[in-house]
Amino acid sequence: MEKKNNNKAIKTTTLNAQVAVSKTECGMDYVQVLPDNPRVGIVESFHGIGYGQMLSNGSFDFIRRTRKRGKPVLKVDYGSLSFCTDGNDRVVFSVPAEMRDDLPKILEKGVTQIIKYLKKKGLSR
């Protein structure tokens, strides 16, 4: 069944299934949906973070959170540049603790490479 909402198609798949909820050793809930008639390809698989809600009557829904961070457009030594869907641009550096003494040199080199990239693409003055 497809519904139209703001010019976007929403695909809904209904399954007859059992839902198993168990507690893990660390106390977290583990939820499994076990279809009565499992078939490959009945739903599109996904992996993501979101919000799940199980009501006391057994109803369960899950809303997937969209990723705000974009894939890096440029990777430099120990860093990357990303243009994000939330309207922000991110420059991220991750340096091992044993290289902390070299951090100023690493940052200077990485930021210089990012600035050159932005100028080359016409995104900076």
Side-chain angles (χ1 to χ4, degrees), residues 100-125:
R100 196 170 287 144
D101 292 341
D102 298 329
L103 188 58
K105 292 177 189 172
I106 292 169
L107 289 175
E108 184 177 354
K109 181 180 175 186
V111 169
T112 302
Q113 290 173 327
I114 290 170
I115 291 169
K116 284 180 183 177
Y117 172 82
L118 292 172
K119 285 182 178 179
K120 180 180 172 185
K121 293 292 181 180
L123 301 170
S124 178
R125 294 184 224 166

Side-chain angles (χ1 to χ4, degrees), residues 15-41:
L15 300 173
N16 289 324
Q18 291 182 351
V19 176
V21 181
S22 51
K23 291 265 188 205
T24 62
E25 290 178 5
C26 62
M28 294 182 63
D29 289 330
Y30 180 70
V31 179
Q32 286 181 291
V33 178
L34 307 165
D36 293 342
N37 186 15
R39 294 188 319 262
V40 174

Side-chain angles (χ1 to χ4, degrees), residues 1-85:
M1 172 193 331
E2 288 197 24
K3 297 178 184 178
K4 292 279 184 181
N5 184 7
N6 295 337
N7 298 326
K8 293 181 183 178
I10 298 173
K11 183 179 179 186
T12 302
T13 303
T14 304
L15 300 173
N16 289 324
Q18 291 182 351
V19 176
V21 181
S22 51
K23 291 265 188 205
T24 62
E25 290 178 5
C26 62
M28 294 182 63
D29 289 330
Y30 180 70
V31 179
Q32 286 181 291
V33 178
L34 307 165
D36 293 342
N37 186 15
R39 294 188 319 262
V40 174
I42 194 166
V43 293
E44 233 179 270
S45 62
F46 71 91
H47 175 271
I49 296 174
Y51 301 101
Q53 174 179 308
M54 179 164 281
L55 302 177
S56 58
N57 68 1
S59 299
F60 179 79
D61 63 19
F62 181 81
I63 299 171
R64 190 170 167 196
R65 249 185 3 206
T66 57
R67 180 181 172 133
K68 292 180 182 176
R69 189 178 75 242
K71 290 187 178 183
V73 294
L74 176 67
K75 290 186 179 183
V76 296
D77 294 341
Y78 306 103
S80 64
L81 168 68
S82 303
F83 300 122
C84 308
T85 58

